[in-house]
């Protein structure tokens, strides 16, 4: 802190404000005292508790009604809305004589309104910076659909000369990329090029990198187009309008519209002060609003209409003309309290406070080195690390590298951050242009990534050795140095390698090395291993049952994860979403052909008739047809019971082999059944999960030592916490990492490698109560992490013998092979 304040003490913590940062946190954000570090203010900032108290007091003390009426309450609501418009315009220093404030359902709706009403013709042009959000890119569809051209551009400053007049020569370069057009053969020529209106769009702050754009661009485009767009096919086009997407940037440095008279400015209120969501605004110059072509009319936008003839007279004020339906008057009433908060701190103080944190983090990340001297962090858009520069907002975007120069996947960073209580953002942040630009992804890279199945929000964070997205942390007016420090400590402890590589689960030929402190001499013969327990989980994510002996079939253990529970929207319910599923107990009686299910929420057990005597381990078409629910009443009975047990509407699905029942595709979504190479039911990765008692004992020793360090007892784990099918005993911890094949009794198995663990193992129910923590995954991540995966336990495939009916039994000898 002393080092930080030495450089940033004049800027951090609101030294001239009504409250210090400590007072703000102590009185307005007490809910963050539970150890949550929130670093996604670019996505949405947090609402203040006092702000919400003021809103609640306002709503419980006053009566607000639909403003489309003449009653006293409606008139008072109309006055409140008018005052809210005034506050929005005031925040951007926009005169009501020049600008109008149109409330929308969000920033995206405001952008959509511009796109669908702009006076496009086949001679119009839509230019937009590469760093625009998808919601701005979507305007392209309206432009191209009306025969206009569209083009992405790169904006570069050749010199830092604030206030330079356009007449003195350009210092901002606009370089165009490929011009996009669609078939315009059916479009009639409407106007000459000189009469066509054109639109130029850019963000005040890039939501990918945090880079700010020079707002002089507004005047340069509107007044000196020929010079600014020199060398492009658009330099001779006249009548340009400018759109600023200020949804991200206005929280710290809102555009001053008296100085930079953009035609359209987009606002999102939850990015300003956290609440309300679902409300945005479009600030539009009044002269530009007159050119917009709106087709639809609705309640509130018409002065008069006649139902049975083509007649409508629209309202004349800009706000009334564009705001369809009743205004979201309660949300609008709430923004007054948000503006009150920002006004008390001032945007300049907020900018200095938040940017001091981002600059500190950037400098520390940039200085990180692995033990071999290689850099750890690659920052994007952070060439200028001076607080005096307004070129960067309170956002830090980066990727991390391993000592060998390969990339840590951003999902690995997000997963480990979550375990440490740090909430950040990863991916492309709905900004594909900036993502491609800063990650150096070519069109062929992007197209091949899509062909490989990569889509937004999926798990493909590194493809062909290149990251597909990045990690972003961003600060808000209530962020603290302590949060920045905890984030940096997390990066150092989790991703920076010391001068000597001490193993830490580094892969060797696809296998693990043990920790050097516990390195064991290689023994010529294996110690005695034996099978300690066998557990079947008939319903995915519900509790299983242990047996002494059980039949094997082509899908693994007979009936293991043969059923799953699906929500009404088609989502697969698991303990990640519904932790209470761990309290649902199951049992199968093979002789009776009965699956029994019980829950503390249901008085009676659920019994489901199955037909187990049809089992034939040699059959490639295991007879599951006999297990189809016989009638609708039976299906209703089962689904009603599960709905009560889980507490939400759901239904039971059964796996099939190749017939017409439901099953899961490879992307884990329900779909038509097809033969799968791995021959698994609803298991995620493999037929079997094997856990070693010795490996669990080693983990427990680490947890015990960690608990002593923190002066608190950490829960001792049972092997069943990891939901294994097979528990073995004997040997040394993690010896199973090196196994290639193994034989249990007379049955042969092939190792498929380690099991990638998720937060599901942090759910405990041993006391009959569902509890969540960050253990044991956090401890496992410290020494069992390989290429973004936290591995514990071994996945197995059963090598079925078509000539033998096979069973597996507790007590059988386990014979592994490492070759």
């Amino acid at each position: 802190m002393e080092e930080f304040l030495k450089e940033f003490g004049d800027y951090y913590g609101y030294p001239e404000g009504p409250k210090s940062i400590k007072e703000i946190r102590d009185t307005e954000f007490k809910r963050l005292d539970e150890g949550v570090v929130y670093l996604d203010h670019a996505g949405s900032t947090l609402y203040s508790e006092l702000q919400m108290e003021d809103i609640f007091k306002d709503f419980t003390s006053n009566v607000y009604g639909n403003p489309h009426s003449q009653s006293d309450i409606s008139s008072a609501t109309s006055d409140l809305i008018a005052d809210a418009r005034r506050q929005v315009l005031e925040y951007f220093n926009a005169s009501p004589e020049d600008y109008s404030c149109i409330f929308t359902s969000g920033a995206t709706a405001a952008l959509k309104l511009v796109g669908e009403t702009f006076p496009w013709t086949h001679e119009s042009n839509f230019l937009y910076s590469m760093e625009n959000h998808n919601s701005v890119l979507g305007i392209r569809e309206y432009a191209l659909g009306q025969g206009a051209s569209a083009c992405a551009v790169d904006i570069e400053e050749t010199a830092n000369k604030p206030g330079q007049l356009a007449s003195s020569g350009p210092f901002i370069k606009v370089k165009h990329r490929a011009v996009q057009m669609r078939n315009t053969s059916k479009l009639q020529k409407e106007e000459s090029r000189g009469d066509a209106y054109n639109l130029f769009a850019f963000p005040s702050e890039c939501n990918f990198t945090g880079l700010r754009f020079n707002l002089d661009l507004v005047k340069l485009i509107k007044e000196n187009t020929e010079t600014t767009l020199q060398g492009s096919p658009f330099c001779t086009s006249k009548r340009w309008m400018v759109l600023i997407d200020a949804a991200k940037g206005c929280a710290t440095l809102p555009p001053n519209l008296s100085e930079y008279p953009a035609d359209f400015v987009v606002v999102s209120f939850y990015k300003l002060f956290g609440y309300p969501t679902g409300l945005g605004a479009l600030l539009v110059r009044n002269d530009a609003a007159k050119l917009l072509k709106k087709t639809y009319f609705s309640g509130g936008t018409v002065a008069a209409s006649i139902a049975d003839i083509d007649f409508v007279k629209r309202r004349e004020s800009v706000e009334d003309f564009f705001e369809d339906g009743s205004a979201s008057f309660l949300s609008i009433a709430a923004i007054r309290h948000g503006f009150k908060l920002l006004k008390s701190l001032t945007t300049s103080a907020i900018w200095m406070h938040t940017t001091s944190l981002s600059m500190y983090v950037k400098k520390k990340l940039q200085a990180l080195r692995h033990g071999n001297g290689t850099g750890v962090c690659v920052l994007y858009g952070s060439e200028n690390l001076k607080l005096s520069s307004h070129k960067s907002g309170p956002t830090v975007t980066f990727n991390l590298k391993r000592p060998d120069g390969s990339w840590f996947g951003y999902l690995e960073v997000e997963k480990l951050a979550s375990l440490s209580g740090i909430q950040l953002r990863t991916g492309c942040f709905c900004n594909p242009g900036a993502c491609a630009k800063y990650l150096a992804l070519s069109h062929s890279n992007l197209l091949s990534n899509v062909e490989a199945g990569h889509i937004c929000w999926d798990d493909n964070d590194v493809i062909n050795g290149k990251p597909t997205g990045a990690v972003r942390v961003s600060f808000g007016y209530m962020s603290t140095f302590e949060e920045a420090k905890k984030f940096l400590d997390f990066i150092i402890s989790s991703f920076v390698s010391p001068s000597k590589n001490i193993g830490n689960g580094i892969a060797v030929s696809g296998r693990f090395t043990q920790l050097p402190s516990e390195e064991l001499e290689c023994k010529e013969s294996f110690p005695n291993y034996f099978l300690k327990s066998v557990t079947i989980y008939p319903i995915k994510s519900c509790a299983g049952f242990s047996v002494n002996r059980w039949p094997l079939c082509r899908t693994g253990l007979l009936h293991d994860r043969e059923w799953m529970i699906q929500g009404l929207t088609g989502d697969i319910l698991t303990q990640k979403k519904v932790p209470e599923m761990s309290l649902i107990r199951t049992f199968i009686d093979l002789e009776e052909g009965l699956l029994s299910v019980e829950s503390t929420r249901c008085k009676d057990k659920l019994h489901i008739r199955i037909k187990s005597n049809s089992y034939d381990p040699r059959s490639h078409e295991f007879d599951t047809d006999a297990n189809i629910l016989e009638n609708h009443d039976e299906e209703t009975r089962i689904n009603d019971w599960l709905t009560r047990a889980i507490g939400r509407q759901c239904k039971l699905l059964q796996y099939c082999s190749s017939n017409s029942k439901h099953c899961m595709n490879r992307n884990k979504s329900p779909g038509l059944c097809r033969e799968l190479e791995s021959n698994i039911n609803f298991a995620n990765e493999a037929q079997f999960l094997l856990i070693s008692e010795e490996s669990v004992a080693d983990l427990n020793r680490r947890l015990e030592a960690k608990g002593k360090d923190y002066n608190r007892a950490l829960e001792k784990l049972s092997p069943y916490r990891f939901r294994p099918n097979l528990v073995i005993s004997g040997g040394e911890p993690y010896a199973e990492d090196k196994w290639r094949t193994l034989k249990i009794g007379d049955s042969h198995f092939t190792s498929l490698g380690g099991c990638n663990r998720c937060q599901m193992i942090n759910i405990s129910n041993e006391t009959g109560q569902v509890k969540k923590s960050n253990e044991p995954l956090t401890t496992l991540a410290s020494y069992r992490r390989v290429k973004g995966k936290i591995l514990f336990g071994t996945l197995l495939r059963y090598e079925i013998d078509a000539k033998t009916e096979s069973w597996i039994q507790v007590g059988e000898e386990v014979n592994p092979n490492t070759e």
Side-chain angles (χ1 to χ4, degrees):
M1 173 66 98
E2 184 177 348
E3 175 195 352
F4 170 77
L5 292 178
K6 186 175 181 180
E7 182 173 1
F8 299 106
D10 292 339
Y11 307 99
Y12 173 79
Y14 309 103
E16 305 297 327
K19 288 183 180 179
S20 68
I21 184 61
K22 185 178 186 309
E23 290 174 315
I24 291 173
R25 290 295 290 255
D26 290 345
T27 60
E28 301 186 37
F29 294 91
K30 297 185 289 291
R31 64 190 187 278
L32 297 180
D33 292 341
E34 301 300 321
V36 175
V37 176
Y38 185 83
L39 297 177
D40 187 25
H41 296 274
S44 171
T45 198
L46 300 175
Y47 53 78
S48 154
E49 289 152 23
L50 292 183
Q51 172 192 354
M52 299 306 292
E53 289 175 12
D54 288 343
I55 292 170
F56 181 75
K57 183 178 180 181
D58 183 358
F59 286 3
T60 54
S61 302
N62 297 292
V63 179
Y64 297 117
N66 192 317
H68 294 166
S69 177
Q70 297 298 315
S71 68
D72 292 342
I73 289 175
S74 295
S75 297
T77 304
S78 296
D79 292 342
L80 179 147
I81 293 173
D83 186 61
R85 296 189 206 278
R86 178 192 60 77
Q87 290 188 69
V88 175
L89 294 176
E90 184 179 86
Y91 187 72
F92 290 89
N93 199 18
S95 168
E97 295 181 1
D98 299 322
Y99 285 90
S100 295
C101 172
I102 301 168
F103 286 116
T104 63
S105 63
T108 295
L111 291 164
K112 183 172 181 284
L113 179 61
V114 174
E116 65 187 6
T117 62
F118 193 84
W120 305 108
T121 73
H122 68 288
E123 292 185 339
S124 296
N125 301 294
F126 175 45
L127 267 59
Y128 51 92
S129 69
M130 279 291 288
E131 291 85 350
N132 270 302
H133 190 279
N134 263 328
S135 296
V136 177
L137 265 60
I139 294 176
R140 181 177 65 190
E141 294 299 301
Y142 291 108
L144 295 176
Q146 293 297 318
S149 65
C151 185
V153 299
D154 294 295
I155 301 170
E156 300 174 359
E157 287 193 47
T158 58
N160 186 14
K161 301 176 182 178
Q164 180 177 356
L165 297 176
S167 58
S168 62
F171 66 97
I172 297 177
K173 289 185 178 180
V174 177
K175 297 182 178 180
H176 75 284
R177 299 200 176 203
V179 179
Q180 307 157 58
M181 293 191 72
R182 290 183 182 162
N183 188 358
T184 60
S185 59
K186 294 183 180 180
L187 296 175
Q188 299 295 320
K189 186 173 181 179
E190 298 173 5
E191 304 172 77
S192 64
R193 179 170 295 277
D195 294 328
Y197 288 96
N198 308 284
L199 183 63
F200 188 98
F202 70 98
S204 62
E205 181 180 314
C206 173
N207 78 314
F208 188 90
T209 61
L211 282 177
R212 295 184 180 278
F213 286 85
N214 192 322
L215 296 181
D216 283 341
L217 191 60
V218 175
K219 291 182 179 178
L220 289 172
I221 291 295
K222 291 173 71 70
E223 299 173 6
N224 197 14
T225 310
E226 189 171 346
T227 303
T228 307
L229 300 180
Q230 187 176 11
S232 77
F234 313 105
C235 62
T236 58
S237 299
K238 308 296 183 183
R239 306 177 76 171
W240 282 90
M241 296 186 187
V242 177
L243 182 154
I244 299 177
D245 177 8
K248 167 65 178 72
C250 67
T252 48
L253 279 180
N256 182 342
L257 296 184
S258 67
E259 186 175 356
Y260 307 105
D263 298 278
F264 310 102
V265 179
V266 172
V267 188
S268 179
F269 293 108
Y270 73 86
K271 292 183 186 289
L272 278 173
F273 31 69
Y275 182 88
T277 58
L279 184 70
L282 173 66
L283 275 62
V284 56
R285 284 189 61 87
N286 293 328
D287 54 356
K290 295 175 183 177
L291 302 173
L292 300 182
K293 299 178 179 180
K294 186 169 183 286
T295 302
Y296 178 76
F297 70 86
S298 65
T301 65
V302 295
S305 64
I306 299 176
D308 55 349
I309 64 172
D310 182 10
F311 175 83
V312 60
K313 179 177 174 58
R314 299 174 185 265
R315 292 187 179 272
E316 294 183 359
S317 75
V318 173
E319 300 90 348
D320 288 341
F321 186 87
F322 286 102
E323 289 179 355
D324 291 317
S326 298
S328 183
F329 53 88
L330 291 181
S331 293
I332 294 172
I335 68 174
R336 298 180 301 158
H337 304 286
F339 278 121
K340 177 183 176 182
L341 183 154
L342 296 185
K343 192 173 182 179
S344 68
L345 294 174
T346 73
T347 53
S348 60
I350 291 172
W351 178 82
M352 289 189 291
H353 171 79
T354 55
T355 306
S356 69
L357 291 171
S358 65
M359 289 296 175
Y360 171 74
V361 168
K362 287 176 182 179
K363 290 182 177 182
K364 289 296 183 183
L365 288 177
Q366 198 173 59
L368 290 179
R369 293 290 182 272
H370 288 296
N372 65 359
T374 60
V376 175
C377 184
V378 175
L379 293 170
Y380 300 116
S382 297
E383 294 79 10
N384 191 323
L385 297 181
K386 294 181 180 179
L387 186 64
S388 59
S389 168
H390 282 203
K391 290 186 177 181
S392 182
T395 297
V396 185
T397 306
F398 61 94
N399 272 312
L400 300 174
K401 283 193 167 185
R402 296 186 175 90
D404 64 1
S406 63
W407 298 96
F408 285 105
Y410 58 75
L411 285 176
E412 180 177 358
V413 181
E414 184 174 36
K415 183 177 183 178
L416 296 177
S418 180
L419 290 174
S420 299
I422 298 171
Q423 310 303 313
L424 43 74
R425 187 83 173 268
T426 63
C428 274
F429 326 122
C430 295
N431 196 325
C435 188
K437 180 176 180 177
Y438 290 99
L439 300 182
L441 296 173
S442 65
H443 289 162
S444 61
N445 291 147
L446 297 171
L447 292 173
S448 65
N449 288 351
V450 173
E451 290 173 0
H454 174 52
I455 59 173
C456 296
W457 310 337
D458 69 7
D459 294 342
N460 297 312
D461 52 7
V462 178
I463 298 179
N464 296 324
K466 281 191 170 186
T468 61
V471 183
R472 183 185 74 186
V473 297
S474 48
F475 298 94
Y477 73 84
M478 75 299 293
S479 296
T480 64
F481 167 79
E482 289 77 12
E483 290 176 317
K485 181 67 166 54
K486 184 173 181 180
F487 166 73
L488 288 169
D489 289 344
F490 154 72
I491 293 293
I492 293 169
S493 64
S494 300
F495 299 98
V496 179
S497 296
S499 55
K500 286 187 178 181
N501 195 327
I502 59 168
N504 197 31
I506 302 300
V508 179
S509 299
R511 304 286 159 174
F512 292 115
T513 58
Q514 293 175 330
L515 287 177
S517 60
E518 299 166 13
E519 193 76 49
L520 301 168
E521 293 183 5
C522 181
K523 299 180 180 180
E524 293 183 3
S525 60
F526 289 105
N528 292 328
Y529 298 98
F530 69 94
L531 186 60
K532 185 72 175 288
S533 72
V534 177
T535 305
I536 297 94
Y537 305 90
I539 303 177
K540 182 180 176 67
S541 261
C542 293
F545 66 99
S546 295
V547 295
N548 186 58
R549 184 170 180 266
W550 198 258
L552 297 170
C553 65
R554 68 172 186 83
T555 60
L557 291 166
L558 181 62
H559 298 310
D560 185 53
R561 285 160 292 194
E562 189 171 310
W563 291 267
M564 72 173 182
I565 300 174
Q566 184 185 59
L568 287 186
T569 59
D571 54 322
I572 308 307
L573 301 187
T574 67
Q575 286 186 31
K576 292 181 189 177
K577 297 179 181 178
V578 189
E580 293 75 16
M581 290 180 70
S582 65
L583 300 175
I584 297 177
R585 296 177 297 280
T586 59
F587 179 75
I588 288 179
D589 188 324
L590 287 180
E591 292 185 1
E592 294 291 332
L594 204 64
L595 166 62
S596 298
V597 192
E598 60 181 318
S599 167
T600 55
R601 292 183 176 180
C602 301
K603 293 182 180 179
D604 301 324
K605 288 184 179 181
L606 171 66
H607 297 291
I608 302 173
R609 180 64 59 183
I610 60 177
K611 189 177 180 181
S612 296
N613 58 9
S614 61
Y615 151 68
D616 178 357
R618 291 158 292 187
S619 172
H620 288 284
E621 294 299 330
F622 174 65
D623 182 13
T624 53
D625 287 339
N627 300 337
I628 299 176
L629 298 179
E630 295 180 357
N631 55 58
H632 178 72
D633 290 341
E634 177 73 354
E635 183 178 348
T636 300
R637 177 183 72 86
I638 293 171
N639 294 339
D640 286 348
W641 190 96
L642 289 170
T643 295
R644 293 195 304 274
I646 292 179
R648 64 171 72 185
Q649 288 286 320
C650 61
K651 62 182 178 180
L652 188 67
L653 296 183
Q654 185 180 16
Y655 185 84
C656 70
S657 55
S658 62
N659 296 299
S660 59
K661 289 183 295 178
H662 290 288
C663 69
M664 284 204 297
N665 294 325
R666 291 189 183 277
N667 63 2
K668 301 178 184 178
S669 63
L672 294 178
C673 210
R674 67 174 183 269
E675 191 72 22
L676 300 180
E677 292 178 5
S678 54
N679 288 328
I680 60 176
N681 289 340
F682 288 129
N684 285 342
E685 296 181 274
Q687 296 169 337
F688 296 88
L689 171 62
L690 179 146
I691 292 289
S692 159
E693 276 194 329
E694 283 65 35
S695 298
V696 175
D698 177 77
L699 173 58
N700 278 322
R701 286 191 292 271
R702 295 171 188 269
L703 288 170
E704 183 180 5
K706 188 174 185 178
K708 290 179 181 178
D709 291 341
Y710 289 93
N711 294 317
R712 58 188 176 92
L714 295 178
E715 180 184 1
K716 188 173 182 179
L717 304 175
S718 157
Y720 303 102
R721 179 71 163 266
F722 302 92
R723 295 178 63 80
N725 296 112
L726 309 175
V727 176
I728 61 166
S729 184
E732 302 296 336
Y734 315 110
E736 64 275 13
D737 293 340
K738 300 180 181 180
W739 296 352
R740 300 288 183 178
T741 61
L742 63 152
K743 183 180 179 183
I744 303 177
D746 293 326
S747 300
H748 296 266
F749 302 84
T750 298
S751 172
L752 302 178
C755 178
N756 184 22
R757 310 315 304 222
C758 65
Q759 284 89 341
M760 193 164 157
I761 64 174
N762 290 341
I763 299 172
S764 169
N765 66 351
E766 294 181 7
T767 61
Q769 298 290 326
V770 176
K771 295 181 180 179
K772 289 183 178 181
S773 70
N774 64 347
E775 292 291 359
L777 200 56
T778 300
T779 296
L780 285 173
S782 68
Y783 75 106
R784 295 289 297 176
R785 200 169 96 237
V786 175
K787 297 290 185 181
K789 297 180 178 180
I790 302 170
L791 304 182
F792 191 75
T794 300
L795 300 171
L796 302 177
R797 181 180 68 233
Y798 171 50
E799 303 299 341
I800 189 167
D801 185 347
K803 299 178 181 179
T804 307
E805 181 176 317
S806 300
W807 292 66
I808 194 167
Q809 184 167 327
V810 171
E812 289 183 318
E813 189 173 344
V814 177
N815 294 295
N817 187 346
T818 59
E819 295 181 357

